[in-house]
mmCIF file of all heavy atoms in Angstrom:
data_model
loop_
_atom_site.group_PDB
_atom_site.id
_atom_site.type_symbol
_atom_site.label_atom_id
_atom_site.label_comp_id
_atom_site.label_asym_id
_atom_site.label_seq_id
_atom_site.Cartn_x
_atom_site.Cartn_y
_atom_site.Cartn_z
ATOM 1 N N LEU U 334 -131.349 33.399 5.639
ATOM 2 C CA LEU U 334 -131.615 34.587 4.817
ATOM 3 C C LEU U 334 -133.121 34.854 4.727
ATOM 4 O O LEU U 334 -133.919 33.968 5.031
ATOM 5 C CB LEU U 334 -131.039 34.377 3.414
ATOM 6 C CG LEU U 334 -129.566 34.788 3.261
ATOM 7 C CD1 LEU U 334 -128.660 33.960 4.146
ATOM 8 C CD2 LEU U 334 -129.134 34.701 1.807
ATOM 9 N N PRO U 335 -133.515 36.072 4.306
ATOM 10 C CA PRO U 335 -134.951 36.374 4.193
ATOM 11 C C PRO U 335 -135.682 35.385 3.289
ATOM 12 O O PRO U 335 -135.173 35.012 2.235
ATOM 13 C CB PRO U 335 -134.972 37.779 3.570
ATOM 14 C CG PRO U 335 -133.654 38.384 3.950
ATOM 15 C CD PRO U 335 -132.675 37.239 3.974
ATOM 16 N N SER U 336 -136.875 34.966 3.716
ATOM 17 C CA SER U 336 -137.714 34.160 2.829
ATOM 18 C C SER U 336 -138.436 35.073 1.842
ATOM 19 O O SER U 336 -138.571 34.749 0.680
ATOM 20 C CB SER U 336 -138.784 33.383 3.599
ATOM 21 O OG SER U 336 -138.305 32.848 4.778
ATOM 22 N N GLU U 337 -138.934 36.199 2.341
ATOM 23 C CA GLU U 337 -139.686 37.105 1.478
ATOM 24 C C GLU U 337 -139.309 38.556 1.759
ATOM 25 O O GLU U 337 -139.191 38.948 2.911
ATOM 26 C CB GLU U 337 -141.196 36.939 1.712
ATOM 27 C CG GLU U 337 -141.753 35.663 1.108
ATOM 28 C CD GLU U 337 -143.029 35.229 1.791
ATOM 29 O OE1 GLU U 337 -143.972 36.028 1.819
ATOM 30 O OE2 GLU U 337 -143.048 34.108 2.319
ATOM 31 N N VAL U 338 -139.126 39.313 0.706
ATOM 32 C CA VAL U 338 -138.899 40.745 0.823
ATOM 33 C C VAL U 338 -140.156 41.412 0.258
ATOM 34 O O VAL U 338 -140.411 41.353 -0.936
ATOM 35 C CB VAL U 338 -137.629 41.162 0.055
ATOM 36 C CG1 VAL U 338 -137.495 42.671 0.005
ATOM 37 C CG2 VAL U 338 -136.395 40.538 0.715
ATOM 38 N N VAL U 339 -140.959 41.961 1.159
ATOM 39 C CA VAL U 339 -142.265 42.502 0.766
ATOM 40 C C VAL U 339 -142.159 44.028 0.730
ATOM 41 O O VAL U 339 -142.151 44.677 1.768
ATOM 42 C CB VAL U 339 -143.357 42.093 1.771
ATOM 43 C CG1 VAL U 339 -144.731 42.516 1.260
ATOM 44 C CG2 VAL U 339 -143.324 40.592 2.049
ATOM 45 N N ALA U 340 -142.014 44.569 -0.471
ATOM 46 C CA ALA U 340 -141.842 46.018 -0.571
ATOM 47 C C ALA U 340 -143.106 46.646 -1.124
ATOM 48 O O ALA U 340 -143.691 46.150 -2.084
ATOM 49 C CB ALA U 340 -140.669 46.342 -1.482
ATOM 50 N N SER U 341 -143.535 47.716 -0.488
ATOM 51 C CA SER U 341 -144.693 48.437 -1.001
ATOM 52 C C SER U 341 -144.216 49.592 -1.875
ATOM 53 O O SER U 341 -143.050 49.978 -1.835
ATOM 54 C CB SER U 341 -145.538 48.963 0.149
ATOM 55 O OG SER U 341 -144.792 49.917 0.846
ATOM 56 N N GLU U 342 -145.135 50.130 -2.624
ATOM 57 C CA GLU U 342 -144.840 51.299 -3.459
ATOM 58 C C GLU U 342 -144.999 52.555 -2.591
ATOM 59 O O GLU U 342 -145.106 52.458 -1.380
ATOM 60 C CB GLU U 342 -145.775 51.315 -4.664
ATOM 61 C CG GLU U 342 -145.727 50.036 -5.498
ATOM 62 C CD GLU U 342 -144.392 49.832 -6.210
ATOM 63 O OE1 GLU U 342 -143.958 50.743 -6.916
ATOM 64 O OE2 GLU U 342 -143.785 48.760 -6.056
ATOM 65 N N PHE U 343 -145.063 53.711 -3.208
ATOM 66 C CA PHE U 343 -145.111 54.952 -2.429
ATOM 67 C C PHE U 343 -146.540 55.470 -2.271
ATOM 68 O O PHE U 343 -147.374 55.327 -3.155
ATOM 69 C CB PHE U 343 -144.270 56.044 -3.081
ATOM 70 C CG PHE U 343 -142.795 55.800 -2.970
ATOM 71 C CD1 PHE U 343 -141.955 56.130 -4.019
ATOM 72 C CD2 PHE U 343 -142.240 55.248 -1.820
ATOM 73 C CE1 PHE U 343 -140.579 55.909 -3.923
ATOM 74 C CE2 PHE U 343 -140.876 55.028 -1.712
ATOM 75 C CZ PHE U 343 -140.047 55.360 -2.771
ATOM 76 N N LEU U 344 -146.784 56.090 -1.137
ATOM 77 C CA LEU U 344 -148.032 56.814 -0.920
ATOM 78 C C LEU U 344 -147.736 58.293 -1.171
ATOM 79 O O LEU U 344 -146.762 58.834 -0.639
ATOM 80 C CB LEU U 344 -148.521 56.610 0.520
ATOM 81 C CG LEU U 344 -149.902 57.170 0.851
ATOM 82 C CD1 LEU U 344 -150.988 56.338 0.191
ATOM 83 C CD2 LEU U 344 -150.131 57.179 2.366
ATOM 84 N N THR U 345 -148.571 58.921 -1.980
ATOM 85 C CA THR U 345 -148.451 60.364 -2.141
ATOM 86 C C THR U 345 -149.621 61.009 -1.412
ATOM 87 O O THR U 345 -150.520 60.320 -0.930
ATOM 88 C CB THR U 345 -148.486 60.768 -3.632
ATOM 89 O OG1 THR U 345 -149.651 60.179 -4.223
ATOM 90 C CG2 THR U 345 -147.257 60.270 -4.351
ATOM 91 N N MET U 346 -149.599 62.316 -1.322
ATOM 92 C CA MET U 346 -150.646 63.002 -0.595
ATOM 93 C C MET U 346 -151.220 64.105 -1.466
ATOM 94 O O MET U 346 -150.496 64.996 -1.871
ATOM 95 C CB MET U 346 -150.035 63.605 0.665
ATOM 96 C CG MET U 346 -150.928 64.585 1.337
ATOM 97 S SD MET U 346 -150.867 64.309 3.078
ATOM 98 C CE MET U 346 -152.306 65.197 3.533
#
Side-chain angles (χ1 to χ4, degrees):
L334 273 63
S336 319
E337 286 157 57
V338 172
V339 187
S341 65
E342 304 293 307
F343 289 143
L344 187 72
T345 52
M346 167 137 197

